[in-house]
């Protein structure tokens, strides 16, 4: 009985240790997201994408990523990734999602409309203000210069009733800029909506593919796009987005979106739609969503600068990839690996307790073996003397003396293993791994 209890305790501790080691590896992979993650100093999201793709043109080793913190309790954190490389770099176990990762990643990149490029030291916007509700309104444009430098704002000043061409300097666009958004500053009080007709910007006509803010309406007319914007204190209520921005950002999410269909984006809540489901997501766990970095960047109207940029590296990434990223213009300020996370988890209280548990199981076996040895060595040697008188050979006597305790060990080993397995089935779920 002593040996069965001792061996069962050691077996139970061994099973718990093996399972804990497996679970710690799983948790470390989930927490880090990839075998190695490099933290990048302040840069633009466009530069992060360009530099990562330049350092790894084949898309086999490196992926740009930007975590998006949770906005509220109802808008969990998101992760913006270069979805073209997600399957090659990130940890993604078979149980994470019912569908294969390549199929999910492809849905994060919908067909985009044409982007609107502005070139020149000045920008011209031709529009007609039919009704400004008796209040001043302003016009600004947000542009993304070529080369991945921070976005710039072009200020056209106040709008006037009637048709006018508004001109503003744009020195950042001499080599070309992508138009990010057109912002109309609206009255912040309740009142009549503003009605305008947008004709051209830098000679390019406005079309019905432009994205209107919530509550606004638009219709194509003969010489442009007629829009109606209700007054609002919210800045996004006057934000017009070009055709290359999707109407709703596609997400792979662990759950349904809030009733308003918003998700945590780079510049606050944004409209989205779930195109795929996953039970678990790298870095985010069981609550969050994935979005394509390039698509989310096009839909954002912030400065594009980020301190949260990361480059995820695959297991077989060459050592020279860090030098290639630096040569492409990125500054690496940190490095995190799965082994680092395993080291942190190994110092947790539950991990230390399991090690003590395993040591206690080993000690119990040693104590049981010591008890058996003491019993064997101190047992009377004359128990078989009457049989010796009747002709029992000495070799059989010696064999009986040693095989009697050995039989206890032989029987105790499988019984202890069975007891450990049964105990694990009954109690394993309660062990803090």
């Amino acid at each position: 009985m002593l040996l069965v209890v001792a061996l069962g305790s050691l077996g139970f501790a061994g099973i718990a240790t093996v399972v804990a080691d497996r679970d710690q590896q799983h948790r470390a992979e989930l927490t880090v997201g990839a075998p190695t993650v490099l933290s990048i100093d302040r840069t633009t999201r466009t530069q992060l994408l360009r530099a990562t793709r330049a350092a790894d043109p084949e898309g086999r080793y490196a992926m740009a990523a930007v975590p998006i913190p949770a906005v509220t309790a109802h808008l969990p954190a998101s992760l913006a990734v270069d979805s073209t490389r997600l399957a090659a770099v990130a940890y993604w176990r078979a149980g994470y999602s019912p569908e294969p990762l390549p199929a999910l990643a492809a849905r994060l990149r919908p067909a985009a409309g044409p982007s609107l490029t502005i070139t020149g030291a000045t920008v011209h916007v031709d529009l007609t203000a039919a009704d400004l509700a008796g209040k001043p309104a302003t016009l600004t444009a947000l542009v993304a210069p070529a080369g991945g430098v921070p976005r710039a704002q072009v200020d056209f000043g106040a709008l006037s009733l009637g048709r006018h061409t508004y001109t503003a300097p744009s020195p950042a666009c001499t080599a070309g800029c992508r138009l990010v958004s057109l912002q109309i500053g609206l009255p912040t009080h309740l009142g009549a909506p503003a009605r305008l007709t947008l004709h051209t910007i830098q000679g390019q006509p406005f079309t019905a593919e432009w994205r209107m803010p919530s509550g606004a309406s638009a219709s194509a007319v003969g010489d442009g796009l007629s829009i109606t914007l209700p007054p609002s204190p919210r800045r996004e209520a006057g934000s017009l987005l070009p055709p290359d921005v999707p109407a709703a950002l596609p997400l792979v999410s662990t759950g349904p979106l809030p009733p308003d269909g918003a998700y945590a984006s780079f510049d606050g809540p944004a409209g989205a739609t779930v195109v795929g489901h996953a039970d678990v997501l790298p870095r985010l766990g069981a609550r969050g969503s994935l979005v394509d970095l390039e698509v989310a960047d096009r839909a954002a109207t912030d400065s594009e600068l980020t301190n949260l940029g990361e480059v995820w590296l695959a297991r077989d990434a060459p050592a020279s990839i860090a030098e290639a990223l630096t040569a492409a213009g990125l500054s690496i300020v940190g490095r995190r690996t799965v082994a680092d996370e395993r080291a942190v988890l190994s110092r947790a209280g539950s991990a230390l307790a399991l090690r003590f548990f395993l040591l206690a199981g080993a000690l119990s076996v040693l104590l049981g073996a010591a008890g058996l040895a003491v019993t064997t060595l101190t047992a009377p040697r004359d128990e078989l003397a009457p049989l010796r008188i009747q002709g029992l050979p000495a070799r059989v006597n010696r064999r009986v003396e040693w095989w009697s305790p050995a039989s206890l060990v032989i029987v105790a080993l499988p019984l202890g293993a069975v007891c450990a397995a049964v105990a694990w089935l009954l109690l394993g779920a309660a062990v803090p791994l």
Side-chain angles (χ1 to χ4, degrees):
M1 290 298 295
L2 178 63
L3 286 176
V4 169
V5 171
L7 290 169
S9 298
L10 178 61
F12 188 91
I15 295 173
T17 302
V18 170
V19 174
D21 182 78
R22 182 200 65 190
D23 286 1
Q24 284 184 8
Q25 178 68 24
H26 182 195
R27 182 174 177 179
E29 293 176 358
L30 181 65
T31 302
V32 179
T36 302
V37 173
L38 304 179
S39 299
I40 306 301
D41 200 6
R42 185 177 177 86
T43 186
T44 65
R45 296 185 292 267
T46 298
Q47 176 61 14
L48 178 67
L49 269 170
R50 289 180 178 176
T52 305
R53 291 173 176 176
D56 176 26
E58 298 179 1
R60 296 171 53 193
Y61 309 113
M63 178 189 74
V66 179
I68 305 174
V71 177
T72 66
H74 302 290
L75 291 177
S78 302
L79 181 66
V81 298
D82 185 354
S83 58
T84 61
R85 297 158 180 244
L86 184 62
V89 175
Y91 283 120
W92 192 280
R93 298 200 173 204
Y96 279 12
S97 63
E99 298 180 75
L101 178 56
L104 291 177
R107 291 189 209 144
L108 294 176
R109 303 183 300 276
S115 60
L116 205 156
T117 302
I118 296 174
T119 304
T122 57
V123 181
H124 312 280
V125 176
D126 181 14
L127 66 83
T128 300
D131 187 356
L132 297 176
K135 297 293 181 180
T138 59
L139 178 65
T140 58
L142 185 65
V143 295
V149 299
R151 293 172 175 176
Q153 185 170 287
V154 180
D155 188 0
F156 296 94
L159 297 179
S160 303
L161 290 174
R163 183 167 182 170
H164 302 279
T165 297
Y166 299 88
T167 303
S170 56
C173 294
T174 53
C177 289
R178 179 179 66 85
L179 181 63
V180 177
S181 69
L182 200 61
Q183 184 71 37
I184 298 176
L186 300 171
T188 59
H189 66 282
L190 296 177
R195 294 185 295 110
L196 305 96
T197 300
L198 307 175
H199 302 292
T200 62
I201 178 169
Q202 207 74 348
Q204 303 176 63
F206 286 89
T207 63
E209 285 76 27
W210 275 69
R211 310 299 184 196
M212 295 294 115
S214 177
S217 62
S219 60
V221 294
D223 57 348
L225 185 66
S226 175
I227 62 173
T228 300
L229 300 170
S232 174
R234 298 181 299 110
R235 176 182 176 275
E236 59 268 20
S239 184
L240 314 181
L241 303 179
D244 63 334
V245 177
L249 290 177
L251 304 178
V252 171
S253 179
T254 57
L257 293 176
D260 58 358
Y263 96 108
S265 67
F266 291 124
D267 53 353
T273 181
V274 176
V275 297
H277 174 78
D279 298 318
V280 180
L281 293 174
R283 182 69 63 83
L284 303 174
R287 192 164 186 260
S289 56
L290 287 180
V291 64
D292 184 81
L293 177 55
E294 190 170 11
V295 175
D297 183 65
R298 286 204 309 264
T301 57
D302 61 348
S303 66
E304 204 192 6
L305 287 169
T306 179
N307 294 318
L308 303 176
E310 297 177 347
V311 176
W312 293 18
L313 301 180
R315 191 188 308 276
D316 57 346
S320 60
I321 195 73
E323 298 177 0
L325 291 170
T326 302
L330 298 181
S331 178
I332 301 172
V333 295
R335 181 185 181 91
R336 187 182 183 192
T337 66
V338 171
D340 297 334
E341 187 65 22
R342 283 294 306 270
V344 172
L345 293 175
S346 68
R347 295 192 293 269
S350 60
L352 297 176
L354 279 176
R355 273 181 239 150
F356 176 79
F357 188 19
L358 187 62
L359 177 62
L363 288 176
S364 68
V365 172
L366 289 177
L367 289 174
L372 181 63
V374 170
T375 302
T376 302
L377 294 176
T378 60
R381 296 289 181 178
D382 56 353
E383 289 181 337
L384 300 180
L387 295 180
R388 291 290 309 277
I389 296 174
Q390 298 177 30
L392 179 69
R395 65 178 184 277
V396 175
N397 187 27
R398 290 192 299 269
R399 191 179 305 157
V400 170
E401 289 178 350
W402 288 107
W403 274 101
S404 292
S407 64
L408 297 179
V409 176
I410 293 172
V411 173
L413 281 171
L415 286 178
V418 170
C419 290
V422 172
W424 179 259
L425 292 175
L426 296 176
L427 305 174
V431 178
L433 302 178

